Amino acid sequence: MKTSFYLVVNSNGTVRTVKNRPGLDSNEISVQVALQIPDALFRKPQLQATITIPDDSVQPIVIEPDVQNNIKDAIEQATGLEIKLTVGQ
């Protein structure tokens, strides 16, 4: 990419940039800057991944009744609501 702009500097050292030729205050100067930047800097990488989970690695999940009750109690205490928790397959 090629672009140009003006760098405006005042006598206090304040700096700004503008795209078009600027109007200047009495204590300002401008410098036209030509800038060349490789287009590749603006390309975002595209990441790719493939995740495969084999069927034989899946184990049935068993939630014991006491764990179910603990979950129910924790939700009820946190929300103040009465919960009916069922686990099915």
Side-chain angles (χ1 to χ4, degrees):
M1 173 182 64
K2 292 181 182 181
T3 188
S4 64
F5 59 93
Y6 291 87
L7 177 68
V8 180
V9 182
N10 72 17
S11 59
N12 296 325
T14 302
V15 177
R16 65 184 169 101
T17 60
V18 294
K19 182 67 178 164
N20 299 314
R21 176 175 232 128
L24 299 174
D25 289 339
S26 61
N27 69 336
E28 292 180 321
I29 62 164
S30 68
V31 178
Q32 186 176 18
V33 178
L35 180 63
Q36 288 182 285
I37 299 175
D39 291 337
L41 287 175
F42 297 98
R43 292 190 199 115
K44 300 202 182 342
Q46 292 184 347
L47 303 176
Q48 294 182 343
T50 301
I51 299 173
T52 303
I53 301 173
D55 290 340
D56 60 353
S57 68
V58 177
Q59 301 294 323
I61 298 174
V62 177
I63 300 177
E64 299 296 328
D66 60 328
V67 174
Q68 292 178 33
N69 288 333
N70 291 342
I71 293 170
K72 176 184 167 291
D73 293 343
I75 293 171
E76 286 179 349
Q77 288 176 8
T79 63
L81 301 172
E82 185 177 324
I83 302 296
K84 179 181 178 187
L85 181 64
T86 59
V87 178
Q89 291 186 356

